[in-house]
Amino acid sequence: MNKELDEQLCQKYPALYRDRNGDKGDTSMCWGFACGDGWHTLIDVISELLTKHDPNICAVQIKQKLGGLCFYHDSGDDYALGVEMTAFTISKTVCEMCGAPGILNNKGGWLSTLCDEHGDQHSAADNRDIDISSVADLRLGAAWSRLCAILKNSAHWHTEHNGRPASTFFINKGKNGRLLIKAFSDDQLTRGMVDIIAGYANRIDEHSGMVIGG
Ligand SMILES: [Zn+2]
């Protein structure tokens, strides 16, 4: 990530990134935000949620791995995990270079999520084919539909494979044009998932998926 965006995040969330210039023997944050600029907004939303949830959380490593954004912290709980795991899934639909909707590209074994402009013809998978049938009745724009489908599909996965309680969601576009999501669940992992989905949705255009003001 470029220096300007790096500094912006560190200034906005000084506690979360207090080890940004730490010793490499102690923290991998010394390597900075080891990913492209296109994920800056997603990292901004993660940072906001984690800081609000627990002001003591400290980021220890942020990097691109297998085409997705890996965000690791020093301690934390199910809420933080819900935010970070879902952010990884979201990132695999967002171009790492520019933030536009992206698909997974495979260049000689190196996976990265890229848009049509930054990627090439050899896509390993097309994330635009995310099954949005579970949210089709909401009549949201394409980008918001993808995000809500990620939420529902992930929640379903955690119920099936991870022993999490089943959740019901109320999803609605408010009069102010913002996406509202309410989970009828006390499960902290689910709360983290909802907050990152709603938080990122409200930073992008409902239809195009482009970052608003970005
Ligand atoms: Zn791009």
Side-chain angles (χ1 to χ4, degrees):
M1 183 174 291
N2 76 46
K3 196 167 176 283
E4 192 188 334
L5 294 176
D6 180 325
E7 286 175 355
Q8 224 180 68
L9 286 166
C10 292
Q11 278 170 17
K12 201 169 168 186
Y13 310 101
L16 182 62
Y17 298 120
R18 58 186 178 271
D19 287 349
R20 168 65 185 87
N21 295 305
D23 189 273
K24 68 177 180 211
D26 301 325
T27 177
S28 295
M29 264 326 284
C30 63
W31 308 114
F33 301 84
C35 65
D37 298 352
W39 290 344
H40 170 261
T41 299
L42 186 57
I43 293 173
D44 189 25
V45 178
I46 299 170
S47 308
E48 194 178 327
L49 292 174
L50 293 186
T51 300
K52 200 171 142 194
H53 175 67
D54 179 357
N56 295 317
I57 285 185
C58 180
V60 297
Q61 187 174 27
I62 296 167
K63 64 174 182 180
Q64 193 266 46
K65 189 179 169 187
L66 302 175
L69 172 68
C70 295
F71 192 112
Y72 302 112
H73 60 265
D74 61 339
S75 60
D77 49 27
D78 282 355
Y79 178 89
L81 266 181
V83 169
E84 291 162 358
M85 286 194 302
T86 310
F88 177 81
T89 310
I90 296 172
S91 70
K92 292 186 100 168
T93 67
V94 176
C95 176
E96 187 185 346
M97 305 276 284
C98 72
I103 57 175
L104 199 60
N105 277 240
N106 185 346
K107 281 184 184 169
W110 175 255
L111 296 176
S112 46
T113 302
L114 299 167
C115 66
D116 290 343
E117 190 185 328
H118 292 116
D120 56 26
Q121 302 300 311
H122 310 294
S123 301
D126 191 340
N127 285 331
R128 283 172 294 202
D129 285 343
I130 286 175
D131 179 9
I132 60 162
S133 57
S134 63
V135 298
D137 58 323
L138 299 172
R139 296 170 185 272
L140 300 170
W144 279 11
S145 292
R146 275 198 299 275
L147 287 173
C148 292
I150 287 173
L151 174 65
K152 283 200 166 184
N153 298 348
S154 302
H156 183 70
W157 188 91
H158 282 291
T159 302
E160 292 280 301
H161 302 280
N162 209 3
R164 292 283 166 176
S167 308
T168 308
F169 300 100
F170 172 76
I171 302 174
N172 183 37
K173 186 177 173 181
K175 285 203 177 85
N176 55 5
R178 289 173 68 81
L179 183 68
L180 307 169
I181 308 177
K182 191 170 164 37
F184 295 96
S185 167
D186 293 331
D187 185 52
Q188 289 292 306
L189 188 94
T190 307
R191 276 198 47 221
M193 290 166 60
V194 165
D195 285 354
I196 185 74
I197 292 285
Y200 190 67
N202 286 313
R203 297 285 295 272
I204 62 171
D205 180 81
E206 174 185 351
H207 304 277
S208 70
M210 300 302 288
V211 172
I212 296 167

